[in-house]
Amino acid sequence: MGTDIKTAAEMLRCADNIVILTHQNPDGDTLGCAFALYYTLKAKGKKVRVENEREIPSKYSFLYKDYVKEEFEPQFVVAVDIASTSLFGKGLEHYENKVDLCIDHHKSNTLYAKNTLVDERVAAACELVFDVIMELDGDISDKALLCIYTGVSTDCGCFKFSNTTAKAHAIASLSLDRNIDIYNVNRLMFENKSRAQLDVEKYALQTLKFYYNGRCAVITVTQDILKEAGAEECDLDALPAMTRQIQGVEVGVVIKERNEGEFKVSLRTGKSPDASAICAVYGGGGHAGAAGCTLYGDVNEIREKIVETIGNFI
Amino acid sequence: MGTDIKTAAEMLRCADNIVILTHQNPDGDTLGCAFALYYTLKAKGKKVRVENEREIPSKYSFLYKDYVKEEFEPQFVVAVDIASTSLFGKGLEHYENKVDLCIDHHKSNTLYAKNTLVDERVAAACELVFDVIMELDGDISDKALLCIYTGVSTDCGCFKFSNTTAKAHAIASLSLDRNIDIYNVNRLMFENKSRAQLDVEKYALQTLKFYYNGRCAVITVTQDILKEAGAEECDLDALPAMTRQIQGVEVGVVIKERNEGEFKVSLRTGKSPDASAICAVYGGGGHAGAAGCTLYGDVNEIREKIVETIGNFI
C-alpha cells in the first residue's frame, strides 16, 4: 500500500524494536537513510538495529561511528532504498514478507512492503527520509544530517547528474549552515582513488571501444585485468561515469567479469536514453541515468549483444 | 577603497556606458559574473560591453548567446573576478587605472580599483554578483541566473571542493526551482572529455611521481607529450584535480610546459596546506585550495624545486 511522509513518520513514532534493512553492496544512499533513521529513533529511546547481508564497508565508517548494535526481537521492519526483496541478499531472506515500511525512490519498486513511501522524482531516498525526520521532530540532528547529505550527494554524483533536485541543494545548503564537514564526505565518496584504482583504470581504458559514431562507449574488464592491476571489483566503480564523460557519448557501458563467465553490465546515460529500460531487456534495473544487469557467457558476445540492444534505444 | 553590496548596486544603478572586464584565460566564474551583469544591466536599457583580451572560448557560448557587442565610449568600468591588473592580459592595459568597481573573491586582490567589493569567504565571485543583482532588482532573470550558477559551480568543483558555501547551494537550489538546465552546464564544464584529453591523460599518468610518503603527487607534461597525444594545453585542465584525488595525496601538482623552457605549475590541495602560499614563493597566487605559478628552466630541476618548497608546507 502506498503511504505518505506524514503516515510514515507516524508509524515510526509508534514503533519500537525497529530493524532497518539496507541493500546488498550498500552505497551512500541506503546507508545514509539507515543511519539517519537510527540516530533519530535512538534519540527517542527506541531499540534500533541496522542490518546488511555483509559487514558494512569501512569506507562508510564515518556514518556509523556512533552506532551500537543491539540484539532484540524485531517488531517493526523498515527497508530503505531497496526496490525489491531480491536486493536483500543472503541471510536476510527471512524478512521478505515482514517489511512494514519501505522508503524508496526507484520507479521499479515491487511494492513488497506492507506500506511503501516511494517517489521516483527525488535524487536519493535520503530526501524522503529527511522529510520523514522533519515531520517526526520538526528538526534534524547534525549526526543524522551528515548521513542524509551523504546519501543525497552520492546519488546525484555530487550535484552533477540530471536527477539533481532543488531539494537536494537545499539539504546541502542546510548541511553547510550547520557546519557539516561535506568536504570530507565528498572526498571519501568521490575523490579517494587508490593506486590500484589508478592502475586498473589505465588498463581498462585500453579496452575502450566506440559505437554508433561515438555515441556509445564500452569498456570491458575481465578477471585477468583485475589480477594484473592487483585491483578489486570496487576499484572499478568510477569507470561507468568516466565512459559517459567522453565528448559525444550518450551511453557509457562497463562490462566487468564478476565470476568466470558472469558479467555485471553497468550503464550510464545523460538525459536520454533511459538506462533502466535498456537493462530491463536483460532482467536488470535501476534509474533513468544509471542502471545495471547481469549477463552470462563470453565477453565479446556479451558486448555485441548489449551494443545491439543499445542501438534500439538511441 | 572597500565597498559593500548595497553601494556597488547603487553605483551600477547610476552608471551607463558600462564596460565589464574579464580575466585572461577566462573561466566560468569571470564570464558568469560578466554576462549575469550584462543581462541585468541591458534589461535596464543601459549600454554594456563585455571585454576579454581574446575571443571568448566557444565552450562558453551558452552564456553569451544573447549578447550583442556594442561600441561606445566607456563611462564606467567594472572588473569581475580579477585579483590584479596583470590578469587583464594584452590589449586591455589601458584600463589599468580606470576601473571604477572591482567585484572579486581573491584574498590576493591588489585593490587596484577605485572601489573594491571583495570577499574571500565566498566560493565564487558570482555569489557576490548575485547579491548585487538582488540588491539592484529584488530578483534575477533566468538568463542571469544561468550565468551565476555556472560561475558558482565552476569555482567549487561542482560543490565538491572545501570552499563550497551554504549560499552556493542555495543559489543552485533556486536555479533548479527555476528549471535552469544545470545538467547541461555541468556536462559542458566538467564532463566533456575529448578523445585528445583522454589520450593526453593516459600519457601524463605515466609521469606520475609520489613524494613525502604519498602526500604529494606530481605530473609533468612536456610539449613532446602534448604533441604525441595531439592535444592542446586546455586538454590538461582536469589533471591537477586528478592528482589530488589519489588516496593520501594532500598536494597535487601538474607541471606543464607552456613554451619551451616555460612551465606553468598548478597546485591543488585539500583543507591544507595553503596552495596560494606555496605558489607565492614563486610570485604566483590563487586560492587556498587551487593556485599556480610560472617557472623557467629544466623540467626536472623545476620539479625538484617545487617539491622541496612543498616540503616546507606539509
Side-chain angles (χ1 to χ4, degrees):
Chain A
M1 212 178 83
T3 192
D4 59 13
I5 302 286
K6 209 168 166 174
T7 316
E10 197 50 37
M11 281 179 203
L12 289 168
R13 197 192 314 275
C14 300
D16 203 350
N17 296 341
I18 302 163
V19 161
I20 305 172
L21 304 179
T22 54
H23 64 67
Q24 60 184 8
N25 302 317
D27 59 14
D29 195 22
T30 196
L31 296 173
C33 288
F35 290 107
L37 281 177
Y38 169 80
Y39 292 125
T40 304
L41 297 168
K42 271 313 283 180
K44 297 190 172 305
K46 297 177 191 292
K47 284 190 177 165
V48 193
R49 185 167 72 228
V50 175
E51 292 205 21
N52 187 269
E53 66 158 346
R54 296 190 198 166
E55 199 147 332
I56 294 165
S58 61
K59 175 184 173 183
Y60 297 104
S61 61
F62 68 100
L63 294 176
Y64 59 80
K65 67 176 183 208
D66 294 315
Y67 172 69
V68 183
K69 190 167 179 176
E70 283 178 294
E71 291 304 328
F72 54 80
E73 196 57 44
Q75 286 172 5
F76 192 84
V77 179
V78 189
V80 284
D81 191 37
I82 310 183
S84 133
T85 55
S86 65
L87 300 166
F88 285 5
K90 279 177 193 146
L92 299 184
E93 298 94 341
H94 60 283
Y95 285 118
E96 258 186 38
N97 296 310
K98 291 184 184 148
V99 179
D100 298 287
L101 173 63
C102 170
I103 304 178
D104 187 28
H105 69 130
H106 292 87
K107 194 163 63 174
S108 54
N109 190 291
T110 61
L111 305 176
Y112 57 88
K114 288 172 205 154
N115 300 280
T116 305
L117 171 61
V118 64
D119 187 344
E120 71 199 53
R121 294 163 304 178
V122 299
C126 269
E127 287 187 47
L128 300 172
V129 170
F130 175 82
D131 284 343
V132 170
I133 291 173
M134 292 304 280
E135 175 68 34
L136 203 56
D137 282 348
D139 198 3
I140 184 166
S141 70
D142 287 356
K143 269 185 204 172
L145 188 53
L146 170 74
C147 299
I148 296 290
Y149 175 86
T150 303
V152 168
S153 174
T154 305
D155 262 24
C156 66
C158 204
F159 310 95
K160 209 187 280 174
F161 296 165
S162 56
N163 65 347
T164 307
T165 60
K167 176 131 190 200
H169 275 296
I171 289 172
S173 188
L174 176 67
S175 305
L176 277 156
D177 270 335
R178 292 276 201 86
N179 290 316
I180 304 289
D181 189 356
I182 67 147
Y183 173 71
N184 186 48
V185 173
N186 289 329
R187 179 146 171 101
L188 286 167
M189 294 298 105
F190 300 106
E191 305 209 323
N192 220 0
K193 201 166 269 196
S194 68
R195 306 242 187 132
Q197 253 176 302
L198 261 186
D199 285 341
V200 80
E201 284 175 7
K202 254 193 294 187
Y203 282 107
L205 277 178
Q206 284 162 19
T207 72
L208 183 64
K209 281 186 172 32
F210 291 95
Y211 301 89
Y212 307 117
N213 284 325
R215 294 166 71 198
C216 171
V218 184
I219 277 176
T220 40
V221 184
T222 57
Q223 286 286 336
D224 292 348
I225 291 180
L226 276 174
K227 271 176 209 148
E228 207 164 329
E232 291 172 71
E233 200 186 313
C234 64
D235 293 326
L236 303 169
D237 286 353
L239 280 177
M242 203 186 277
T243 52
R244 201 188 50 86
Q245 284 177 13
I246 302 164
Q247 214 157 51
V249 170
E250 294 163 29
V251 187
V253 185
V254 172
I255 303 172
K256 64 184 176 196
E257 191 171 24
R258 185 165 263 173
N259 296 300
E260 209 190 312
E262 180 195 338
F263 291 85
K264 165 85 183 159
V265 181
S266 300
L267 261 77
R268 293 291 181 280
T269 61
K271 281 198 168 168
S272 71
D274 183 336
S276 70
I278 296 170
C279 291
V281 173
Y282 300 103
H287 301 283
C293 57
T294 303
L295 280 98
Y296 300 86
D298 168 76
V299 61
N300 292 314
E301 281 169 24
I302 288 170
R303 183 173 48 213
E304 270 175 45
K305 216 191 243 184
I306 196 88
V307 166
E308 202 187 316
T309 305
I310 289 167
N312 298 330
F313 285 83
I314 61 173
Chain B
M1 211 178 83
T3 191
D4 58 14
I5 302 286
K6 209 167 165 175
T7 315
E10 198 49 37
M11 282 178 203
L12 291 168
R13 196 192 315 276
C14 301
D16 203 349
N17 297 341
I18 302 164
V19 161
I20 305 171
L21 305 179
T22 53
H23 65 66
Q24 62 184 7
N25 302 317
D27 59 13
D29 195 22
T30 195
L31 295 173
C33 288
F35 289 107
L37 281 177
Y38 169 79
Y39 292 126
T40 304
L41 297 169
K42 272 313 281 180
K44 297 191 172 305
K46 297 176 191 292
K47 284 190 177 165
V48 193
R49 183 168 73 229
V50 175
E51 293 205 22
N52 188 268
E53 66 157 348
R54 296 190 198 166
E55 199 146 333
I56 294 164
S58 62
K59 176 183 172 184
Y60 297 104
S61 61
F62 69 99
L63 293 177
Y64 58 80
K65 68 177 181 204
D66 294 315
Y67 173 69
V68 183
K69 191 168 180 176
E70 283 179 292
E71 291 304 329
F72 54 82
E73 197 56 43
Q75 288 172 3
F76 193 85
V77 179
V78 189
V80 285
D81 191 38
I82 310 183
S84 133
T85 55
S86 66
L87 299 167
F88 285 5
K90 280 176 193 146
L92 299 183
E93 298 94 341
H94 60 284
Y95 286 117
E96 258 186 36
N97 296 309
K98 291 184 185 148
V99 180
D100 298 287
L101 173 63
C102 170
I103 305 178
D104 186 28
H105 69 130
H106 292 88
K107 194 163 62 176
S108 54
N109 190 291
T110 61
L111 305 175
Y112 57 86
K114 289 170 206 157
N115 301 280
T116 306
L117 171 61
V118 63
D119 187 344
E120 72 198 54
R121 294 163 305 178
V122 299
C126 270
E127 287 187 47
L128 300 172
V129 170
F130 175 82
D131 283 345
V132 169
I133 292 173
M134 292 303 280
E135 175 68 33
L136 203 54
D137 283 347
D139 198 3
I140 183 166
S141 69
D142 287 356
K143 270 184 204 171
L145 188 53
L146 170 73
C147 299
I148 296 290
Y149 175 86
T150 302
V152 168
S153 174
T154 305
D155 262 26
C156 67
C158 204
F159 310 94
K160 210 187 278 174
F161 296 165
S162 55
N163 65 347
T164 308
T165 60
K167 175 130 189 199
H169 274 297
I171 289 172
S173 187
L174 175 66
S175 305
L176 277 157
D177 270 335
R178 292 277 200 87
N179 290 318
I180 305 289
D181 189 356
I182 66 147
Y183 173 72
N184 186 48
V185 173
N186 290 328
R187 177 144 172 102
L188 285 167
M189 295 296 106
F190 300 106
E191 305 208 322
N192 220 0
K193 199 167 270 194
S194 68
R195 305 239 188 134
Q197 255 176 300
L198 259 187
D199 284 341
V200 80
E201 284 175 7
K202 253 192 295 187
Y203 282 107
L205 276 178
Q206 284 163 18
T207 72
L208 183 64
K209 282 187 171 31
F210 292 95
Y211 301 89
Y212 307 117
N213 284 325
R215 294 166 71 197
C216 172
V218 184
I219 277 176
T220 41
V221 184
T222 57
Q223 286 286 335
D224 293 348
I225 291 179
L226 276 175
K227 271 176 210 149
E228 207 165 329
E232 291 172 69
E233 201 187 313
C234 64
D235 292 327
L236 303 169
D237 287 353
L239 279 177
M242 205 185 275
T243 51
R244 202 188 50 86
Q245 284 177 13
I246 303 164
Q247 214 158 52
V249 170
E250 293 163 31
V251 187
V253 185
V254 173
I255 303 173
K256 65 184 174 195
E257 192 172 21
R258 186 166 263 175
N259 297 301
E260 210 190 311
E262 180 194 337
F263 291 86
K264 165 85 184 159
V265 181
S266 301
L267 262 78
R268 294 292 183 278
T269 60
K271 282 198 167 168
S272 70
D274 184 334
S276 71
I278 296 170
C279 291
V281 173
Y282 299 103
H287 300 283
C293 57
T294 302
L295 281 99
Y296 301 86
D298 168 77
V299 59
N300 292 315
E301 281 169 26
I302 288 170
R303 183 173 48 215
E304 270 175 45
K305 216 190 242 184
I306 196 88
V307 166
E308 202 186 317
T309 306
I310 289 167
N312 298 329
F313 286 83
I314 60 174

